[in-house]
Amino acid sequence: MKHIKQFAIILLITFLGEALHKFISLPIPSSIYGLLIMLICLQTKILKLEQVKETGNFLLEIMPVMFIPSAVGLIKIWSSITNVVIPIVFVVLFTTILVMVTTGKMADFIISRNRGENK
């Protein structure tokens, strides 16, 4: 019963993200709205981590299964995209490195700022 309640909370927040996406005409995916709602709920203690932790961990564990339809779709259209594979690989590598560097720099900044506040 606990897992059903946790899953219902996650689905509700996902639904709220979808609703925001419909009402706000910004080019932001609904999943980002949902993540922001979840972050706000967790940071303001409206929602406690224990209320969604186990089901969230389960969903993370099965996440690779969710990529199977995308992989099958790529296999189906492979002949159509073979002439643009190299640019796609370069873009994916570049953006991945950019995201990793930016995330690392932000983490360093936040950690050093928190150390300064704790002294």
Side-chain angles (χ1 to χ4, degrees), residues 31-99:
S31 58
I32 301 299
Y33 287 120
L35 287 171
L36 288 173
I37 294 168
M38 180 67 83
L39 176 66
I40 290 167
C41 287
L42 289 171
Q43 289 294 318
T44 59
K45 306 292 187 210
I46 293 171
L47 191 62
K48 292 183 175 51
L49 182 60
E50 294 77 34
Q51 291 176 291
V52 292
K53 186 175 183 175
E54 288 181 40
T55 301
N57 285 337
F58 170 73
L59 291 172
L60 282 173
E61 287 174 11
I62 67 165
M63 188 186 301
V65 174
M66 304 303 168
F67 289 102
I68 291 173
S70 300
V72 170
L74 275 176
I75 290 169
K76 283 182 75 171
I77 64 163
W78 185 253
S79 62
S80 303
I81 64 169
T82 52
N83 56 345
V84 291
V85 167
I86 296 201
I88 290 173
V89 168
F90 280 120
V91 168
V92 168
L93 287 174
F94 175 74
T95 56
T96 300
I97 292 168
L98 181 67
V99 167

Side-chain angles (χ1 to χ4, degrees), residues 105-119:
K105 293 291 184 187
M106 285 301 297
D108 283 344
F109 172 75
I110 291 170
I111 289 169
S112 64
R113 195 177 103 199
N114 285 342
R115 284 186 186 150
E117 290 177 3
N118 292 336
K119 289 183 181 179

